[in-house]
Amino acid sequence: MADGWSTDTGEAVYRSRDAVKNLKVKIHIQRFTSTAALSQHLQQQVLTQQERGGIELDTLNSQAQSAGDDEEELVVGWQEKLFSQYEVDLFQSEAVCQTPLERQYHTEIMALERTRGRRNRRIFTYTDFDRFTNWEGDSQSMVTQVKSNPTFLAHRMANVRHRRQDRRPVTFPKSRLITWEPSEDFVKTSHVVNTPVQTMHIMGDMGPLGKLGQKEKECLLCTIRADGNGVITIKPDFNKGKEPYRVETEGEKREVWRLTLENVSEGIRPEEKEREQRMYKDLYVRHKDYLNSLVGQDFEMPPPGILRLLVNGEIGKSWERQEYSWLFLTSCFQLTLPSLFCLDWSTLPFHSLSGVTQTCRTKTIGKDDVAFFSYPFSFEAFFRREDETEESLPQWPVLYFKVLSLDFWQRYRNEGYGYLVIPSTRGKHTITCHTWRPLQTGTVSELRRFFIGGSPELEDYSYVRVPGTFKGERLSRFGFRTQTTGSVTFNLHCIQHARAFVDASTLKKRRQSVLDQLGGFSQQGSVYNVLEAFQRARRRMQEARESLPRDLINTTAQQNSESNA
Amino acid sequence: MFNSALLCALPAGRGAAHIPVMAELHIIGQIVGASGFPQSSLFCKWGIHTGGAWRLLSGLKEGQTQVDLPQTGDMAYWSHPIDLHYTTKGLQGWPKLHLQVWHQDAFGRCQLYGYGYCHVPSSPGHHHVRCVTWRPLGSWQEQIAQTFVGGGPQLRSTDIIYSGADRYRLHTVAMGTVELELGIIMRHFDRYGVES
């Protein structure tokens, strides 16, 4: 029947950590003839009819089918050598045996003859040691070509394929990393993939009954490869309840055989599996304890209702269109916090809110002159929402900075002012801020700037953005003259830390904005206290329960189930 | 296949409830290479500095790359792996990566070409970081000597690379850029309310 076959004979890859010697494959071959198909079909029909209570007919006896020779089923273990009729005939006489392997086969065959004989007839195997395994890749070509030689790479790969699996792991030598004169063997192993692989072929002798032992009638049924990393490749895959595979023999009388493969390796016993899982669980618990012992168990948390903002940043580089050559740039910056933010000086005495970078001589990239500062700064600020009903957005800290230049003659000039609002979103930010410098009308100040240095400076940094003394609605800077100078790049990493985020995630609420979470902190504070107490009590109860002996819990569970039943 | 043992995740029930978990940070990436320096035969010494609350669980926290001399182009490629696992009980002292780029010339002499640093990113994901470098500058006599013989002033203590305290005393010149690719994985930080 054409639709009773499985045509997917691709190879399948499995992974396993267990030893490959536990692998057992059950292989079943059966000759498929037209009469067999017909009688099977009839039998199925009759069976269904019998179920419906129809005609009762005596079916064709299936005796003719299983003549004993047209079917064979065998369980094969990993690298288990089963001899074919051809090999038995060949290795009967000792004179033929040349290699030690062949002599070993001879002794085994003699021993088998003396005892009950082979347990296989048609199905036999070629293990990793046989010659078939070695040259089968070489001789068979993958494309339809009249005469094909194996490629250079195929030749190399064939030589290294059949290495034993117990190779030592590769260790890197501390000295002499380079081999200046590689040997031939070294070249072979380094230029190709040399994962050691063990191969096994399960073959079938498809000759006619009584005339087994012809080498031309051998047919490759299944190939299993296993490498040292626990990767097992089997081609074709196990049937797993699908239709059997179709094997066709060559020759003048083409026959069709049905092939079924099944994995019958013993599984792990449930007690052992449970023991293994308990061991893993133990290991993880111990690892956690070890981690805790390293750093301690408390993670420092801000007080409830407070958002902690932690910013790690650096002043990267500054670009300038230089008016004068040979300039050095330095910059100084200052962080200003609006009123709702406050600093906790007691815990962070070393965090400074202002700084001066080094003086850096510029270099020219393209048309611009660049100075690299790479100056680190980091600060921490705490935000507390005082008034819950206030609707306005809080102001975030602002960083004001000023770029100065120092030239070869030690003249000091002001190159520009700029500001940067610390971003309110968390994560990494790369921000480029442009700078400007104030100008005075008239040529006197420019002449002074050119010859002796010195330039107008701002008294109050906050004028750069919004002056601190500004109280109206519209800011007007009319009359203030400036000139664009350049830009400065900052890299900022912002982290926000608050207890409110923990509660939100444990309660699985969808997070609104940070401010809404922090709003109502007094109410949340009391709720939080209750939650804390509950968690503590629950933890104590769990610890007490853990310390009880296990059978005590089991007997109580049993009593409960009995009382329920 | 043969009932292969699966790594069972620790059940999130009783086992995890009464053992508090620590926040862990994985930094997995590479120092790709450097460009923009006057000469191209470069190597890099790198290290990571953290605060007191951080503990290194696995990985090497400092190292030195090989010397790379590019045949074409300006960029020297190192592809030096960085694989670190930290655990912490506080957010302060977030790790900082500091670098020193050196030049090895045809005679085998080594010369400092730049100091640079960058903060390890604090948000999870893949980050492409460009770290700019600077080199201390001596007097003009020393600069002339440097063009002929090499050498030049170096920092006495390398702490200044990643701290800003006394930087204003330095006189430096801008050098090139080092590129890094860092993948950051943060674990259990959200249990403590850290948003990043």
Side-chain angles (χ1 to χ4, degrees), chain A residues 402-430:
Chain A
K402 173 174 158 181
V403 182
L404 303 142
S405 69
L406 179 76
D407 72 356
F408 184 67
W409 305 108
Q410 312 278 331
R411 287 178 298 196
Y412 214 57
R413 291 187 187 89
N414 173 25
E415 287 295 331
Y417 292 97
Y419 76 96
L420 164 72
V421 181
I422 306 291
S424 55
T425 51
R426 48 191 165 77
K428 177 177 167 186
H429 304 271
T430 305

mmCIF file of all heavy atoms in Angstrom, chain A residues 402-430:
data_model
loop_
_atom_site.group_PDB
_atom_site.id
_atom_site.type_symbol
_atom_site.label_atom_id
_atom_site.label_comp_id
_atom_site.label_asym_id
_atom_site.label_seq_id
_atom_site.Cartn_x
_atom_site.Cartn_y
_atom_site.Cartn_z
ATOM 1 N N LYS A 402 30.664 74.084 32.468
ATOM 2 C CA LYS A 402 31.312 75.237 31.847
ATOM 3 C C LYS A 402 32.609 74.738 31.252
ATOM 4 O O LYS A 402 33.342 73.976 31.884
ATOM 5 C CB LYS A 402 31.582 76.262 32.950
ATOM 6 C CG LYS A 402 32.379 77.445 32.585
ATOM 7 C CD LYS A 402 32.379 78.355 33.804
ATOM 8 C CE LYS A 402 33.538 79.294 33.758
ATOM 9 N NZ LYS A 402 33.569 80.155 34.925
ATOM 10 N N VAL A 403 32.887 75.130 30.043
ATOM 11 C CA VAL A 403 34.113 74.696 29.381
ATOM 12 C C VAL A 403 35.063 75.878 29.301
ATOM 13 O O VAL A 403 34.676 76.980 28.925
ATOM 14 C CB VAL A 403 33.791 74.174 27.962
ATOM 15 C CG1 VAL A 403 35.048 73.668 27.294
ATOM 16 C CG2 VAL A 403 32.760 73.075 28.026
ATOM 17 N N LEU A 404 36.303 75.624 29.661
ATOM 18 C CA LEU A 404 37.301 76.694 29.678
ATOM 19 C C LEU A 404 38.471 76.266 28.825
ATOM 20 O O LEU A 404 38.721 75.082 28.637
ATOM 21 C CB LEU A 404 37.807 76.915 31.099
ATOM 22 C CG LEU A 404 36.740 77.242 32.092
ATOM 23 C CD1 LEU A 404 37.018 76.577 33.405
ATOM 24 C CD2 LEU A 404 36.656 78.733 32.272
ATOM 25 N N SER A 405 39.181 77.223 28.357
ATOM 26 C CA SER A 405 40.354 76.856 27.567
ATOM 27 C C SER A 405 41.579 77.553 28.117
ATOM 28 O O SER A 405 41.524 78.638 28.666
ATOM 29 C CB SER A 405 40.144 77.232 26.104
ATOM 30 O OG SER A 405 40.150 78.622 25.954
ATOM 31 N N LEU A 406 42.667 76.859 27.940
ATOM 32 C CA LEU A 406 43.945 77.329 28.454
ATOM 33 C C LEU A 406 44.926 77.169 27.315
ATOM 34 O O LEU A 406 45.040 76.088 26.764
ATOM 35 C CB LEU A 406 44.342 76.443 29.624
ATOM 36 C CG LEU A 406 45.652 76.710 30.324
ATOM 37 C CD1 LEU A 406 45.501 77.919 31.195
ATOM 38 C CD2 LEU A 406 45.990 75.521 31.186
ATOM 39 N N ASP A 407 45.598 78.202 26.930
ATOM 40 C CA ASP A 407 46.453 78.006 25.772
ATOM 41 C C ASP A 407 47.919 77.990 26.171
ATOM 42 O O ASP A 407 48.274 77.989 27.338
ATOM 43 C CB ASP A 407 46.142 79.054 24.701
ATOM 44 C CG ASP A 407 46.649 80.424 25.113
ATOM 45 O OD1 ASP A 407 47.164 80.580 26.232
ATOM 46 O OD2 ASP A 407 46.506 81.343 24.303
ATOM 47 N N PHE A 408 48.721 77.974 25.172
ATOM 48 C CA PHE A 408 50.146 77.761 25.371
ATOM 49 C C PHE A 408 50.760 78.840 26.255
ATOM 50 O O PHE A 408 51.696 78.585 27.001
ATOM 51 C CB PHE A 408 50.818 77.737 23.990
ATOM 52 C CG PHE A 408 52.270 77.432 24.053
ATOM 53 C CD1 PHE A 408 52.717 76.189 24.454
ATOM 54 C CD2 PHE A 408 53.204 78.399 23.728
ATOM 55 C CE1 PHE A 408 54.063 75.900 24.499
ATOM 56 C CE2 PHE A 408 54.555 78.111 23.768
ATOM 57 C CZ PHE A 408 54.984 76.862 24.156
ATOM 58 N N TRP A 409 50.233 80.013 26.148
ATOM 59 C CA TRP A 409 50.761 81.112 26.960
ATOM 60 C C TRP A 409 50.030 81.242 28.282
ATOM 61 O O TRP A 409 50.089 82.293 28.898
ATOM 62 C CB TRP A 409 50.635 82.422 26.184
ATOM 63 C CG TRP A 409 51.289 82.354 24.855
ATOM 64 C CD1 TRP A 409 50.680 82.301 23.652
ATOM 65 C CD2 TRP A 409 52.693 82.299 24.592
ATOM 66 N NE1 TRP A 409 51.606 82.221 22.643
ATOM 67 C CE2 TRP A 409 52.852 82.215 23.198
ATOM 68 C CE3 TRP A 409 53.846 82.319 25.398
ATOM 69 C CZ2 TRP A 409 54.103 82.143 22.605
ATOM 70 C CZ3 TRP A 409 55.083 82.263 24.785
ATOM 71 C CH2 TRP A 409 55.200 82.168 23.402
ATOM 72 N N GLN A 410 49.347 80.216 28.670
ATOM 73 C CA GLN A 410 48.628 80.202 29.936
ATOM 74 C C GLN A 410 47.514 81.227 29.995
ATOM 75 O O GLN A 410 47.184 81.734 31.059
ATOM 76 C CB GLN A 410 49.586 80.444 31.129
ATOM 77 C CG GLN A 410 50.828 79.613 31.128
ATOM 78 C CD GLN A 410 50.576 78.237 31.693
ATOM 79 O OE1 GLN A 410 49.698 78.097 32.534
ATOM 80 N NE2 GLN A 410 51.308 77.251 31.236
ATOM 81 N N ARG A 411 46.945 81.566 28.883
ATOM 82 C CA ARG A 411 45.805 82.480 28.903
ATOM 83 C C ARG A 411 44.550 81.660 29.102
ATOM 84 O O ARG A 411 44.366 80.616 28.484
ATOM 85 C CB ARG A 411 45.700 83.263 27.595
ATOM 86 C CG ARG A 411 46.748 84.331 27.459
ATOM 87 C CD ARG A 411 46.627 85.020 26.147
ATOM 88 N NE ARG A 411 46.851 84.099 25.039
ATOM 89 C CZ ARG A 411 47.099 84.510 23.807
ATOM 90 N NH1 ARG A 411 47.155 85.803 23.547
ATOM 91 N NH2 ARG A 411 47.286 83.646 22.848
ATOM 92 N N TYR A 412 43.708 82.177 29.935
ATOM 93 C CA TYR A 412 42.545 81.435 30.382
ATOM 94 C C TYR A 412 41.318 82.062 29.762
ATOM 95 O O TYR A 412 41.096 83.238 29.923
ATOM 96 C CB TYR A 412 42.478 81.574 31.904
ATOM 97 C CG TYR A 412 41.947 80.373 32.607
ATOM 98 C CD1 TYR A 412 42.543 79.136 32.450
ATOM 99 C CD2 TYR A 412 40.863 80.491 33.445
ATOM 100 C CE1 TYR A 412 42.062 78.051 33.112
ATOM 101 C CE2 TYR A 412 40.380 79.389 34.119
ATOM 102 C CZ TYR A 412 40.982 78.176 33.953
ATOM 103 O OH TYR A 412 40.525 77.096 34.615
ATOM 104 N N ARG A 413 40.529 81.281 29.088
ATOM 105 C CA ARG A 413 39.342 81.870 28.455
ATOM 106 C C ARG A 413 38.137 81.007 28.752
ATOM 107 O O ARG A 413 38.230 79.800 28.942
ATOM 108 C CB ARG A 413 39.516 81.944 26.937
ATOM 109 C CG ARG A 413 40.535 82.913 26.488
ATOM 110 C CD ARG A 413 40.514 83.024 24.981
ATOM 111 N NE ARG A 413 41.623 83.832 24.559
ATOM 112 C CZ ARG A 413 42.829 83.352 24.284
ATOM 113 N NH1 ARG A 413 43.061 82.067 24.384
ATOM 114 N NH2 ARG A 413 43.809 84.155 23.927
ATOM 115 N N ASN A 414 37.026 81.647 28.681
ATOM 116 C CA ASN A 414 35.781 80.929 28.880
ATOM 117 C C ASN A 414 35.266 80.495 27.512
ATOM 118 O O ASN A 414 35.131 81.315 26.612
ATOM 119 C CB ASN A 414 34.794 81.884 29.554
ATOM 120 C CG ASN A 414 33.426 81.278 29.647
ATOM 121 O OD1 ASN A 414 33.289 80.074 29.646
ATOM 122 N ND2 ASN A 414 32.421 82.128 29.717
ATOM 123 N N GLU A 415 35.015 79.183 27.388
ATOM 124 C CA GLU A 415 34.597 78.713 26.074
ATOM 125 C C GLU A 415 33.113 78.444 25.959
ATOM 126 O O GLU A 415 32.580 78.387 24.872
ATOM 127 C CB GLU A 415 35.329 77.405 25.720
ATOM 128 C CG GLU A 415 36.777 77.591 25.368
ATOM 129 C CD GLU A 415 36.986 78.388 24.101
ATOM 130 O OE1 GLU A 415 36.122 78.338 23.216
ATOM 131 O OE2 GLU A 415 38.008 79.064 24.009
ATOM 132 N N GLY A 416 32.458 78.214 27.029
ATOM 133 C CA GLY A 416 31.024 77.994 26.857
ATOM 134 C C GLY A 416 30.367 77.472 28.118
ATOM 135 O O GLY A 416 31.023 76.925 29.003
ATOM 136 N N TYR A 417 29.066 77.679 28.144
ATOM 137 C CA TYR A 417 28.237 77.148 29.219
ATOM 138 C C TYR A 417 27.231 76.184 28.632
ATOM 139 O O TYR A 417 26.836 76.305 27.483
ATOM 140 C CB TYR A 417 27.450 78.274 29.901
ATOM 141 C CG TYR A 417 28.293 79.226 30.675
ATOM 142 C CD1 TYR A 417 28.697 80.436 30.114
ATOM 143 C CD2 TYR A 417 28.689 78.939 31.966
ATOM 144 C CE1 TYR A 417 29.466 81.323 30.818
ATOM 145 C CE2 TYR A 417 29.464 79.816 32.675
ATOM 146 C CZ TYR A 417 29.848 81.005 32.096
ATOM 147 O OH TYR A 417 30.618 81.874 32.786
ATOM 148 N N GLY A 418 26.784 75.272 29.451
ATOM 149 C CA GLY A 418 25.728 74.376 29.008
ATOM 150 C C GLY A 418 25.071 73.744 30.214
ATOM 151 O O GLY A 418 25.567 73.860 31.333
ATOM 152 N N TYR A 419 23.967 73.068 29.977
ATOM 153 C CA TYR A 419 23.311 72.376 31.077
ATOM 154 C C TYR A 419 22.738 71.069 30.568
ATOM 155 O O TYR A 419 22.536 70.873 29.379
ATOM 156 C CB TYR A 419 22.215 73.243 31.694
ATOM 157 C CG TYR A 419 20.955 73.307 30.864
ATOM 158 C CD1 TYR A 419 19.882 72.468 31.119
ATOM 159 C CD2 TYR A 419 20.847 74.223 29.821
ATOM 160 C CE1 TYR A 419 18.743 72.529 30.346
ATOM 161 C CE2 TYR A 419 19.712 74.279 29.053
ATOM 162 C CZ TYR A 419 18.659 73.442 29.325
ATOM 163 O OH TYR A 419 17.540 73.494 28.559
ATOM 164 N N LEU A 420 22.450 70.204 31.502
ATOM 165 C CA LEU A 420 21.927 68.882 31.154
ATOM 166 C C LEU A 420 20.930 68.494 32.227
ATOM 167 O O LEU A 420 21.261 68.504 33.409
ATOM 168 C CB LEU A 420 23.094 67.886 31.122
ATOM 169 C CG LEU A 420 22.771 66.408 31.160
ATOM 170 C CD1 LEU A 420 22.180 66.002 29.853
ATOM 171 C CD2 LEU A 420 24.033 65.624 31.409
ATOM 172 N N VAL A 421 19.728 68.166 31.815
ATOM 173 C CA VAL A 421 18.748 67.687 32.781
ATOM 174 C C VAL A 421 18.912 66.175 32.875
ATOM 175 O O VAL A 421 18.870 65.480 31.863
ATOM 176 C CB VAL A 421 17.317 68.039 32.334
ATOM 177 C CG1 VAL A 421 16.324 67.561 33.359
ATOM 178 C CG2 VAL A 421 17.188 69.518 32.108
ATOM 179 N N ILE A 422 19.074 65.688 34.076
ATOM 180 C CA ILE A 422 19.228 64.239 34.259
ATOM 181 C C ILE A 422 17.950 63.560 33.776
ATOM 182 O O ILE A 422 16.854 63.948 34.173
ATOM 183 C CB ILE A 422 19.464 63.900 35.740
ATOM 184 C CG1 ILE A 422 20.646 64.700 36.283
ATOM 185 C CG2 ILE A 422 19.685 62.430 35.949
ATOM 186 C CD1 ILE A 422 21.963 64.303 35.744
ATOM 187 N N PRO A 423 18.038 62.568 32.924
ATOM 188 C CA PRO A 423 16.818 61.975 32.359
ATOM 189 C C PRO A 423 15.995 61.270 33.427
ATOM 190 O O PRO A 423 16.537 60.703 34.378
ATOM 191 C CB PRO A 423 17.335 60.967 31.336
ATOM 192 C CG PRO A 423 18.767 61.198 31.205
ATOM 193 C CD PRO A 423 19.244 61.952 32.384
ATOM 194 N N SER A 424 14.699 61.335 33.252
ATOM 195 C CA SER A 424 13.832 60.696 34.237
ATOM 196 C C SER A 424 13.569 59.245 33.917
ATOM 197 O O SER A 424 12.939 58.549 34.693
ATOM 198 C CB SER A 424 12.506 61.444 34.324
ATOM 199 O OG SER A 424 11.946 61.511 33.034
ATOM 200 N N THR A 425 14.017 58.768 32.773
ATOM 201 C CA THR A 425 13.852 57.350 32.483
ATOM 202 C C THR A 425 15.139 56.638 32.836
ATOM 203 O O THR A 425 16.226 57.195 32.756
ATOM 204 C CB THR A 425 13.555 57.117 31.000
ATOM 205 O OG1 THR A 425 14.537 57.798 30.238
ATOM 206 C CG2 THR A 425 12.190 57.610 30.643
ATOM 207 N N ARG A 426 14.962 55.353 33.171
ATOM 208 C CA ARG A 426 16.133 54.606 33.587
ATOM 209 C C ARG A 426 16.870 54.064 32.361
ATOM 210 O O ARG A 426 16.335 54.053 31.275
ATOM 211 C CB ARG A 426 15.671 53.455 34.446
ATOM 212 C CG ARG A 426 14.544 52.736 33.770
ATOM 213 C CD ARG A 426 13.884 51.758 34.671
ATOM 214 N NE ARG A 426 12.618 51.340 34.143
ATOM 215 C CZ ARG A 426 12.472 50.469 33.165
ATOM 216 N NH1 ARG A 426 13.519 49.937 32.611
ATOM 217 N NH2 ARG A 426 11.281 50.133 32.739
ATOM 218 N N GLY A 427 18.097 53.686 32.572
ATOM 219 C CA GLY A 427 18.836 53.058 31.482
ATOM 220 C C GLY A 427 20.031 53.888 31.074
ATOM 221 O O GLY A 427 20.494 54.758 31.788
ATOM 222 N N LYS A 428 20.491 53.589 29.900
ATOM 223 C CA LYS A 428 21.697 54.246 29.424
ATOM 224 C C LYS A 428 21.310 55.401 28.507
ATOM 225 O O LYS A 428 20.468 55.247 27.636
ATOM 226 C CB LYS A 428 22.518 53.220 28.639
ATOM 227 C CG LYS A 428 23.747 53.803 28.029
ATOM 228 C CD LYS A 428 24.551 52.722 27.333
ATOM 229 C CE LYS A 428 25.599 53.400 26.473
ATOM 230 N NZ LYS A 428 26.326 52.507 25.655
ATOM 231 N N HIS A 429 21.922 56.534 28.729
ATOM 232 C CA HIS A 429 21.653 57.706 27.895
ATOM 233 C C HIS A 429 22.965 58.302 27.439
ATOM 234 O O HIS A 429 23.872 58.492 28.241
ATOM 235 C CB HIS A 429 20.891 58.774 28.673
ATOM 236 C CG HIS A 429 19.612 58.277 29.267
ATOM 237 N ND1 HIS A 429 18.416 58.301 28.598
ATOM 238 C CD2 HIS A 429 19.346 57.720 30.470
ATOM 239 C CE1 HIS A 429 17.478 57.795 29.362
ATOM 240 N NE2 HIS A 429 18.008 57.436 30.502
ATOM 241 N N THR A 430 23.043 58.629 26.176
ATOM 242 C CA THR A 430 24.195 59.359 25.659
ATOM 243 C C THR A 430 23.677 60.688 25.166
ATOM 244 O O THR A 430 22.896 60.738 24.220
ATOM 245 C CB THR A 430 24.845 58.588 24.504
ATOM 246 O OG1 THR A 430 25.155 57.288 24.953
ATOM 247 C CG2 THR A 430 26.095 59.280 24.053
#
